[in-house]
Amino acid sequence: MIPTTLTPGAFALSLTWGLPALTILVLALLPESRARLIRGVSLASALLNLALVAGLIAAWPAHRPPAGAEVPLAFAARLPWFSQPNISYFVGVDGLSLLMMLLAAIIAVCGVLVSWRIETRAKEFFIFMQVLLAGVFGCFISFDLFTFFLFNEVTLIPTYLLIGVFGSGRKEYCAMKLNLMLFAGSALVLVGLLGLYFASGLHTFDLFALAQVRFPADFQHWAFPALFLGFGVLGALFPFHTWSPDGHSSAPTAISMFLAGVHMKLGGYGCLRVAMFLLPEGAREWMNVFLVLSTINILYGAFVAVKQTDLKYINAYSSVSHCGLVLFGYAALNFLGLRGAVLQMFSHGLLTALIFAVIGMLYGRTHTRQLGELGGLMTRLPFIGVAFTLAALAGLGLPGLSGFVAELNVFLGAFAQTPLLNKVCTVLAILSIVVTAVYLLRTINKVLHGPPQEKDAGLKDADLAERAAILILLAGVILMGVWPRAITWLVDDALQPIVEQLAR
Amino acid sequence: MAFYVLQMEIAVVVLAVLGLLAGAFWPKHTSLIRRGLAEGALVVLVASLFLVFPQHHALFGGAYVLDRFAIVFKQVLLGAAALVLLLADAHEPLRKQGGTEFAALVLLATAGMMLLTSANDFIFLFVALELVTITFYVLNSFLRGESRALEAGLKYLVLGALSAGFMAYGLAYVFGAADSLNFGDIHHALHDDKTAQGIYLFGFALVLLGLGFKLAMVPMQIWAPDVYQGAPTPAAAFLASGSKIAGFVVLLRLVFADVFPPAWEAQPVVLMALAALTLLYGALGGLAQTDVKRLLGYSSIANAGFLLLGIAAGGDFGHAAVIYYLVQYLFAVIAVFAVLTVVANAHDTADRHTLMGLHRRSPLLALALLLAMLSLAGVPPLGGALGKFFVLVATVMRARIDPAFYALAGVAIVGAVIALFYYLRVLRGAWADPAPDAAARITVPWTVRVVLYICMAGMLFLGIWPQPLLALATRCLH
């Protein structure tokens, strides 16, 4: 029986979004002139949250429910919110949500660190960032689909302001495009959720209660694409990915890191957690369509990245390609594929945050992101250069770094499927690695190597805050590469119910 | 006759008359009197919360009923009036004009709206409606030096007169068909005698058209953007909040009294079509607007579409959703107009430039505008998100019996996505654009501060803890 009061465990979970919410209040009361204090409070809050998530992960083995439990969550609690329509504040965690929360907490810390130099309107910047954090953490702990949806919506608006106010380039256009497309995606999700609510006959948004229901085939036939596409927009599914290169490229560094690293993962998380978990027949029926779409994602993103000259756009299209790999892993519909997809979410989250951070640092120093105007920076900025190189190598799947582990799982899972279409798509997707190597190596070559330029003579390498951010992210990338077990022990249990559901 | 049943309306009218007299006798203290009227309205509201009302009471041969539904909305409307009176006191052009007439007229309109909530007879409804409309003719053109305000007043007058004509004409048919104008009698007549239903349908459609003017419902929506833009900002605020709420309360009353033509009850095609058209008109029309007050006119049309959708979907939950929606809408829309009351330029309009750099000039106003726009757009954790959600739930519930409602739910969602565009664009001006050089910091009068705090608290409370209001709304239905 799930407790209906706020147990200590559930309180700790709620703190993950409560802490950012509290920080908003504290920041709102601080005077704008105290920029140092504002940054300090934000960093302290992010670090506390990271400690909290780490604590939750440490406590998880002791609290994890026995295999086959009806609700496979630790620290679960269900507080009624309102009765009609029947919605409760239902929180809990399993390994999958813990992993995502860890990712969010790491990137939050690094995001604050790389924003250390923001001076103009710092107060608003950090407040909006905390709103974004609160929404994301709220999403990962919610297992009532409506509260999940609400927290997801909460993330939209700070995104608009963060890009529209603090961004660069065509920021207003890009912010609007991102918001409208994501809002339309959530509208589709809402349609699907209402469908689940009524078609189940249970009148509930409780994920695990809904999972007990066998939805009729004709319902699954339309509800699955609504949900999968709806979340897929946020996960940058082709052809609804167009908001992401624009949005991520025009956002300020920390926000690019967080949007591409964590926020986008909400889409992938929703696809898996809601669409595939609840509607397995729909998933089987539609998967060929999404298999082809995600293969296009992977190839299209990679090829477009080759043609880009702006560093941020290169990474943004690379993100489209790599996020395609997440959905591609789902399309395998087996354990390895799903595990690969989840690992890819974590790995890509760290990597893309790292690369966006590095690009932000380069831009802060050279004031250009154009490939043609950069060169020979390895000698001037060795620390940043090494970080960039490692991130790029991980991105193209070098063994020993995080990308390889994820891609290997995805491709093994995908190739295990017998139909010809799956084999063909897998081969095509594997070939994309070559294209990835082309644009990543070319970028590294262009930016870091070659003769050092005169104008770059006085540049200083990464300062303390930037080094800390880079080292935290790199540690994650390397740890996952050499010791994948550290991640997979969290994930495997959580994926088991989903795989069983898919086999039903 | 038990006149204590009418005590709230009587108190408001007395307050209005006292205000007029006091303004005539002490012309030097008009500001004090105006504020006194706002406080008076609040006192009546607070007092009404403690009064014990008879459970169900009828007056004037059943033309006036007092039930929980009526009482709750009388209180809501009084609250709206009090907020608007506070705004009116802070509104620079109105202050310059002086006098207490504006405040007194607002109270008289409020009395009319409060009577409307109790109307149980078409003649009573018509008279109360005219009391509201005629006071608004004056309120809208109150700034007689501004050509825009005069234009707004004239437009409202012409279309208001036209809609009153429609309604009176329709009432003649209703009377001819049902032999009575009392809702109870009409209900019986309709179900006993099936021969007159065709005539009744025609008459009722005309009445709905007349009422549609108050709701800003297609095809009677055309005045809204013009009048919202030209009218003095507090008057527009009251038009968007009080007047619209009163209109929908009447519509709900017609539904509760079961006087809708029987053909529409089975399949409300007309209401469905009107809801869809109103929604889309409001959403699409707002796209090209640059003046914020004008934009709010379109936003008000789009919101009317959502409310109509809730009424068309019906069912206990649909009606509760409409009640919830009306209350949360009140907070959002008054908050926006409160911001505009302070920042609007000398001509009392609010083009793009008036909001530029608001975050620098007054963080409080920028924050209030942010919350209000997000609530109107339907973003959590604000009341507007749940309002839209509840209406959608009601629509999908109905769609399970009547699949045509799925299409309406789709229209509503598309409308909401389109409308997000223009709400965000307003925010861009306030938050992203730099302040023009000449723009100084804005000092917000305390009256507006109070209004803003109340509205922000209301939006957040309703978005986070909707249960009390939803429970109250459900109780209102029985």
Side-chain angles (χ1 to χ4, degrees), chain A residues 148-500:
Chain A
F148 173 77
F149 176 80
L150 277 192
F151 276 117
N152 185 16
E153 292 299 285
V154 168
T155 60
L156 280 187
I157 298 308
T159 316
Y160 177 78
L161 291 169
L162 282 165
I163 298 177
V165 176
F166 301 95
S168 56
R170 290 187 306 163
K171 55 187 182 180
E172 276 139 12
Y173 165 81
C174 297
M176 184 65 90
K177 181 170 174 181
L178 177 143
N179 254 266
L180 288 181
M181 286 189 72
L182 292 188
F183 201 72
S186 350
L188 259 178
V189 170
L190 185 61
V191 173
L193 291 188
L194 285 176
L196 290 173
Y197 181 84
F198 287 110
S200 65
L202 294 176
H203 290 237
T204 178
F205 283 110
D206 178 336
L207 181 76
F208 295 101
L210 289 173
Q212 305 291 323
V213 181
R214 237 194 156 120
F215 291 98
D218 59 334
F219 172 75
Q220 301 213 12
H221 177 76
W222 70 261
F224 181 79
L227 283 169
F228 200 89
L229 270 181
F231 285 119
V233 175
L234 183 50
L237 175 70
F238 180 88
F240 305 107
H241 65 280
T242 52
W243 59 272
S244 97
D246 282 339
H248 294 165
S249 300
S250 43
T253 304
I255 303 311
S256 302
M257 287 166 66
F258 201 78
L259 288 184
V262 185
H263 187 234
M264 239 172 144
K265 305 297 178 287
L266 278 177
Y269 180 83
C271 283
L272 182 64
R273 197 55 120 194
V274 183
M276 296 177 63
F277 183 50
L278 295 181
L279 304 166
E281 276 178 59
R284 282 196 293 273
E285 192 183 340
W286 282 91
M287 246 340 149
N288 279 345
V289 176
F290 291 113
L291 178 70
V292 173
L293 284 181
S294 59
T295 312
I296 299 178
N297 247 57
I298 297 171
L299 290 170
Y300 175 83
F303 278 111
V304 177
V306 173
K307 288 296 289 176
Q308 299 301 313
T309 55
D310 181 312
L311 282 181
K312 271 197 144 178
Y313 269 96
I314 295 179
N315 193 38
Y317 276 105
S318 156
S319 281
V320 171
S321 172
H322 281 131
C323 283
L325 211 53
V326 174
L327 301 170
F328 184 79
Y330 291 160
L333 293 174
N334 55 22
F335 178 74
L336 273 180
L338 296 190
R339 182 164 86 173
V342 171
L343 293 179
Q344 173 70 6
M345 282 202 265
F346 190 73
S347 155
H348 173 255
L350 293 177
L351 280 177
T352 200
L354 181 55
I355 297 183
F356 271 128
V358 166
I359 294 172
M361 292 171 202
L362 291 179
Y363 181 72
R365 289 167 173 75
T366 60
H367 303 289
T368 177
R369 296 194 308 244
Q370 292 299 319
L371 271 189
E373 299 167 19
L374 293 162
L377 285 172
M378 194 59 144
T379 49
R380 309 268 192 226
L381 310 166
F383 191 88
I384 297 177
V386 170
F388 199 2
T389 313
L390 277 174
L393 291 177
L396 60 82
L398 192 76
L401 296 169
S402 64
F404 174 74
V405 181
E407 286 177 12
L408 187 68
N409 274 288
V410 168
F411 291 137
L412 283 177
F415 207 72
Q417 292 290 22
T418 37
L420 183 65
L421 181 68
N422 290 60
K423 303 265 186 214
V424 172
C425 285
T426 313
V427 171
L428 284 173
I430 292 175
L431 285 178
S432 80
I433 294 181
V434 181
V435 188
T436 310
V438 169
Y439 68 77
L440 282 178
L441 292 180
R442 201 190 50 152
T443 307
I444 293 295
N445 199 20
K446 197 84 197 60
V447 174
L448 299 180
H449 302 291
Q453 297 183 5
E454 274 306 306
K455 66 180 169 69
D456 298 337
L459 296 186
K460 285 201 174 64
D461 206 354
D463 63 21
L464 195 64
E466 292 172 332
R467 273 173 205 250
I470 287 181
L471 285 177
I472 294 172
L473 290 169
L474 262 186
V477 170
I478 294 172
L479 180 75
M480 183 176 163
V482 295
W483 192 33
R485 194 71 206 107
I487 311 293
T488 52
W489 73 271
L490 264 176
V491 178
D492 287 359
D493 274 3
L495 290 178
Q496 216 53 54
I498 303 176
V499 175
E500 279 164 25

Side-chain angles (χ1 to χ4, degrees), chain B residues 380-415:
Chain B
L382 298 159
L386 291 178
K388 286 198 165 62
F389 172 69
F390 292 150
V391 168
L392 274 177
V393 169
T395 312
V396 176
M397 256 157 126
R398 177 69 183 258
R400 295 182 61 75
I401 313 161
D402 183 353
F405 273 89
Y406 280 122
L408 270 187
V411 170
I413 285 176
V414 170

Side-chain angles (χ1 to χ4, degrees), chain B residues 122 125-126 129 162-171 174 200-221 223 247-248 250-255 259-261 264 268-275 278 308 311-312:
Chain B
F122 273 119
L125 189 158
F126 184 74
L129 201 63
L162 182 70
S163 72
F166 274 134
M167 190 173 247
Y169 189 52
L171 287 184
V174 167
Y200 183 75
L201 182 72
F202 179 69
F204 189 85
L206 286 174
V207 172
L208 186 64
L209 209 57
L211 193 58
F213 172 70
K214 280 257 152 294
L215 313 175
M217 169 185 86
V218 170
M220 302 297 283
Q221 87 295 5
W223 57 276
F248 274 100
V250 169
L251 201 55
L252 277 176
R253 175 71 74 187
L254 293 177
V255 176
V259 291
F260 264 61
W264 285 9
V269 188
V270 178
L271 266 187
M272 286 165 71
L274 289 177
T278 309
L308 281 171
I311 288 180

Side-chain angles (χ1 to χ4, degrees), chain B residues 333-348:
Chain B
V333 86
I334 293 220
V336 185
F337 278 111
V339 172
L340 294 179
T341 301
V342 186
V343 297
N345 56 25
H347 294 287
D348 202 18

